Amino acid sequence: MIIRDVECTPRRLQPNNREKHHMHHARPTSSDVAELLADRAEFIRTETVRLIEIAKVGHYSSVFSAAEIFAALYYDVMALDPTQPDWADRDRFLMGKGHAAVGLYPVLADLGYYPPSALDDYAHLGSAFGDHPDMTKIPGIDFSSGSIGHALSNGAGMALAGRMAGRDFSVFVMVGDGEMQEGQVWEAALSAAHHRLDRLVAIVDRNGFQLDGGVDEVIGIEPLADKWRAFGWRVEGIDGHDVIAVRDVLTAAKRREPDGIPTCVIAHTSKGKGVSYMEREPGWHLGYLEPNDAKRAIDEIRGRRA
């Protein structure tokens, strides 16, 4: 099954193509931005619970740590046009941690890349939507991820191709902190600095856990910021759940004057953010909530704790 495009009015803070970005229009206030992005992060979490209830197993906590990052990128930072998923000048987003795709699919539906009803058979036989994203089937997906370690290499290639073609798009690549244990990530980091890919932004979801336990217990990765700097990158550290901090640092990276230095944003997050027991129990990397538990989780995400 391949999903086709639909017409829509995207819910975004900015116009949805690069030409409109140069028009004079009222900018939303910081409180408006914070309210919308926080609302969309909540939407990402609750839709993740709903979709995993359909699939009967999934990666709640990996999505929950990244929800504010998804919200900032897709509802404010990136130049996109859902009516033209293959628009050549769109900004690109790639996920190394492809198992978090269940949180990205509802965003793309919300923006109008496909109807929300397309998700109603999520992960069922014949559905375009699986545990990992398939760019050949799903509009708005720029990279088919799942094999950890390859996203940054592909992102560097896209950034280099964009420069060679004389285009001005940015490439954002989210990688997990456990993914920092992959050698190919560091090969890509070397290559990006060598080729002076200043339109490339790596976002490390530093939530502290991977499938086998604590990241720094499996293989320690600190001092992480110093390592990226040593590889020739500009490094910014932020609270990954502060939607304004996330929006501001990614916008600054996108708008920075060309200087030949790629940017790495280390987003300090909590795995399972929004559901208290998932934040305390790393075993929720993969799991399933029965309907009553799913309802309680949604209530907690929405601030209605029992």
Side-chain angles (χ1 to χ4, degrees):
M1 179 180 180
I2 299 176
I3 303 298
R4 301 302 180 190
D5 307 337
V6 295
E7 293 294 328
C8 75
T9 302
R11 183 185 338 209
R12 282 178 53 85
L13 286 168
Q14 299 186 22
N16 64 355
N17 66 49
R18 201 174 302 275
E19 288 72 23
K20 290 182 182 178
H21 285 185
H22 299 292
M23 295 171 59
H24 296 289
H25 55 87
R27 293 288 296 160
T29 66
S30 293
S31 60
D32 290 336
V33 174
E35 183 178 356
L36 174 71
L37 297 184
D39 175 80
R40 292 299 84 192
E42 178 184 295
F43 163 77
I44 289 165
R45 291 187 173 96
T46 57
E47 277 294 282
T48 295
V49 174
R50 182 181 75 86
L51 293 183
I52 292 177
E53 195 169 352
I54 295 171
K56 306 306 181 190
V57 68
H59 298 86
Y60 301 97
S61 58
S62 296
V63 173
F64 293 175
S65 67
E68 283 77 14
I69 299 169
F70 287 158
L73 282 169
Y74 278 87
Y75 292 96
D76 188 25
V77 176
M78 293 199 299
L80 301 167
D81 188 345
T83 67
Q84 300 180 70
D86 296 327
W87 175 40
D89 289 317
R90 72 190 183 281
D91 291 331
R92 273 73 169 168
F93 176 67
L94 299 82
M95 275 194 300
K97 44 179 284 180
H99 52 279
V102 63
L104 183 56
Y105 296 150
V107 172
L108 297 177
D110 190 40
L111 293 176
Y113 284 90
Y114 40 79
S117 60
L119 297 173
D120 289 346
D121 62 349
Y122 167 68
H124 287 194
L125 185 65
S127 172
F129 302 91
D131 198 40
H132 294 83
D134 187 336
M135 64 183 291
T136 68
K137 296 179 179 178
I138 304 172
I141 296 294
D142 290 313
F143 177 61
S144 300
S145 54
S147 183
I148 296 297
H150 298 291
L152 191 61
S153 294
N154 280 269
M158 290 180 186
L160 181 58
R163 187 174 69 198
M164 293 172 68
R167 300 192 180 278
D168 192 37
F169 59 76
S170 294
V171 181
F172 298 91
V173 182
M174 178 188 289
V175 291
D177 48 0
E179 199 170 352
M180 298 297 93
Q181 299 159 358
E182 294 282 346
Q184 187 167 331
V185 171
W186 298 105
E187 292 180 43
L190 278 175
S191 178
H194 174 78
H195 291 291
R196 301 178 60 80
L197 301 180
D198 48 30
R199 306 301 291 170
L200 179 64
V201 181
I203 307 165
V204 181
D205 183 2
R206 185 67 167 112
N207 62 36
F209 290 95
Q210 59 191 100
L211 176 62
D212 295 322
V215 169
D216 294 315
E217 296 173 2
V218 176
I219 296 180
I221 62 174
E222 294 295 345
L224 187 59
D226 290 343
K227 289 173 181 175
W228 280 95
R229 290 190 186 100
F231 274 67
W233 288 59
R234 175 184 293 103
V235 180
E236 306 279 358
I238 58 166
D239 175 351
H241 298 303
D242 182 333
V243 288
I244 295 300
V246 174
R247 189 282 303 262
D248 287 352
V249 76
L250 295 177
T251 298
K254 173 176 169 168
R255 294 180 178 174
R256 186 173 288 115
E257 289 297 318
D259 61 4
I261 303 174
T263 298
C264 174
V265 175
I266 300 178
H268 297 277
T269 63
S270 296
K271 197 159 186 175
K273 179 70 173 178
V275 178
S276 55
Y277 56 83
M278 289 188 184
E279 296 177 28
R280 298 191 299 266
E281 175 48 64
W284 279 101
H285 178 86
L286 182 67
Y288 172 63
L289 293 166
E290 292 286 349
N292 287 338
D293 294 324
K295 181 182 182 304
R296 285 193 287 269
I298 288 173
D299 285 346
E300 184 172 348
I301 291 167
R302 290 176 174 165
R304 298 194 299 269
R305 300 191 184 197

